[in-house]
Amino acid sequence: MELLASLRRDWEGVVEASAQSNADDEHDPEGATIAFERARIEASLSRARAHLAEIDGALRRLADGAYGTCERCGGPIATERLAVRPTARTCVGCA
Protein backbone atom coordinates (compact mmCIF):
# COMPACT_ATOMS: atom_id res chain seq x y z
CA MET A 1 0.00 0.00 0.00
CA GLU A 2 2.90 2.35 0.79
CA LEU A 3 4.47 1.58 -2.58
CA LEU A 4 1.21 2.33 -4.36
CA ALA A 5 0.82 5.61 -2.47
CA SER A 6 4.39 6.60 -3.31
CA LEU A 7 3.93 5.76 -6.99
CA ARG A 8 0.69 7.73 -7.11
CA ARG A 9 2.51 10.75 -5.67
CA ASP A 10 5.25 10.33 -8.28
CA TRP A 11 2.59 10.10 -11.00
CA GLU A 12 0.84 13.24 -9.79
CA GLY A 13 4.17 15.07 -9.65
CA VAL A 14 5.06 14.18 -13.22
CA VAL A 15 1.59 15.09 -14.48
CA GLU A 16 1.70 18.40 -12.62
CA ALA A 17 5.19 19.19 -13.91
CA SER A 18 4.19 18.44 -17.48
CA ALA A 19 1.05 20.56 -17.20
CA GLN A 20 3.08 23.55 -16.02
CA SER A 21 5.74 23.18 -18.67
CA ASN A 22 5.61 24.08 -22.32
CA ALA A 23 8.97 22.44 -23.01
CA ASP A 24 9.34 20.18 -26.00
CA ASP A 25 10.46 17.16 -24.01
CA GLU A 26 10.48 14.90 -27.07
CA HIS A 27 13.61 16.68 -28.28
CA ASP A 28 15.23 17.41 -24.94
CA PRO A 29 18.87 16.24 -25.09
CA GLU A 30 19.14 16.24 -21.29
CA GLY A 31 17.64 12.89 -20.45
CA ALA A 32 14.41 11.01 -20.23
CA THR A 33 11.27 12.54 -21.61
CA ILE A 34 8.22 13.25 -19.51
CA ALA A 35 6.39 10.63 -21.59
CA PHE A 36 9.04 8.07 -20.64
CA GLU A 37 8.73 8.93 -16.96
CA ARG A 38 4.95 8.64 -17.12
CA ALA A 39 5.21 5.25 -18.84
CA ARG A 40 7.76 4.03 -16.28
CA ILE A 41 5.59 5.07 -13.34
CA GLU A 42 2.46 3.66 -14.97
CA ALA A 43 4.18 0.29 -15.47
CA SER A 44 5.34 0.30 -11.84
CA LEU A 45 1.81 1.11 -10.68
CA SER A 46 0.43 -1.73 -12.76
CA ARG A 47 2.93 -4.22 -11.28
CA ALA A 48 2.21 -3.01 -7.73
CA ARG A 49 -1.56 -3.36 -8.27
CA ALA A 50 -1.11 -6.87 -9.67
CA HIS A 51 1.07 -7.85 -6.71
CA LEU A 52 -1.51 -6.49 -4.28
CA ALA A 53 -4.19 -8.55 -6.06
CA GLU A 54 -1.98 -11.65 -5.70
CA ILE A 55 -1.62 -10.96 -1.97
CA ASP A 56 -5.38 -10.51 -1.61
CA GLY A 57 -5.89 -13.82 -3.41
CA ALA A 58 -3.46 -15.59 -1.09
CA LEU A 59 -5.25 -14.15 1.94
CA ARG A 60 -8.60 -15.39 0.56
CA ARG A 61 -7.16 -18.87 0.00
CA LEU A 62 -5.79 -18.81 3.54
CA ALA A 63 -9.22 -17.87 4.94
CA ASP A 64 -10.89 -20.57 2.81
CA GLY A 65 -8.40 -23.25 3.86
CA ALA A 66 -7.08 -23.62 0.32
CA TYR A 67 -3.71 -21.91 0.84
CA GLY A 68 -0.83 -24.20 -0.09
CA THR A 69 -2.95 -26.34 -2.41
CA CYS A 70 -2.22 -26.27 -6.14
CA GLU A 71 -5.09 -24.82 -8.15
CA ARG A 72 -4.33 -27.14 -11.08
CA CYS A 73 -3.61 -30.58 -9.69
CA GLY A 74 -4.92 -30.21 -6.14
CA GLY A 75 -1.64 -31.37 -4.64
CA PRO A 76 0.35 -29.53 -2.00
CA ILE A 77 2.57 -26.59 -2.86
CA ALA A 78 5.99 -27.16 -1.32
CA THR A 79 6.76 -25.13 1.78
CA GLU A 80 9.99 -23.98 0.15
CA ARG A 81 8.05 -22.55 -2.82
CA LEU A 82 5.63 -20.76 -0.52
CA ALA A 83 8.55 -19.35 1.48
CA VAL A 84 10.02 -17.85 -1.69
CA ARG A 85 6.70 -16.96 -3.34
CA PRO A 86 3.96 -16.73 -0.71
CA THR A 87 1.35 -15.90 -3.37
CA ALA A 88 2.00 -19.09 -5.38
CA ARG A 89 -1.17 -20.70 -6.65
CA THR A 90 0.42 -23.74 -8.26
CA CYS A 91 3.01 -26.33 -7.33
CA VAL A 92 6.36 -26.34 -9.15
CA GLY A 93 5.24 -29.17 -11.43
CA CYS A 94 2.17 -27.26 -12.61
CA ALA A 95 3.93 -23.91 -12.84
Side-chain angles (χ1 to χ4, degrees):
M1 296 304 287
E2 289 178 26
L3 175 59
L4 280 170
S6 173
L7 289 168
R8 284 186 195 113
R9 285 190 300 274
D10 289 349
W11 174 263
E12 291 165 2
V14 169
V15 169
E16 183 179 326
S18 65
Q20 296 176 4
S21 172
N22 63 356
D24 179 10
D25 72 320
E26 294 300 320
H27 300 95
D28 183 359
E30 299 216 8
T33 65
I34 292 172
F36 173 81
E37 284 302 312
R38 288 174 72 161
R40 183 187 63 77
I41 294 169
E42 187 173 10
S44 294
L45 273 166
S46 180
R47 282 191 307 273
R49 286 184 189 118
H51 186 62
L52 184 58
E54 289 175 2
I55 292 168
D56 287 341
L59 290 172
R60 275 192 304 278
R61 290 190 300 280
L62 187 62
D64 294 342
Y67 184 77
T69 301
C70 179
E71 291 181 355
R72 285 205 176 144
C73 70
I77 300 174
T79 305
E80 295 84 4
R81 177 165 168 76
L82 291 172
V84 172
R85 187 178 167 95
T87 60
R89 299 179 322 175
T90 59
C91 65
V92 171
C94 290

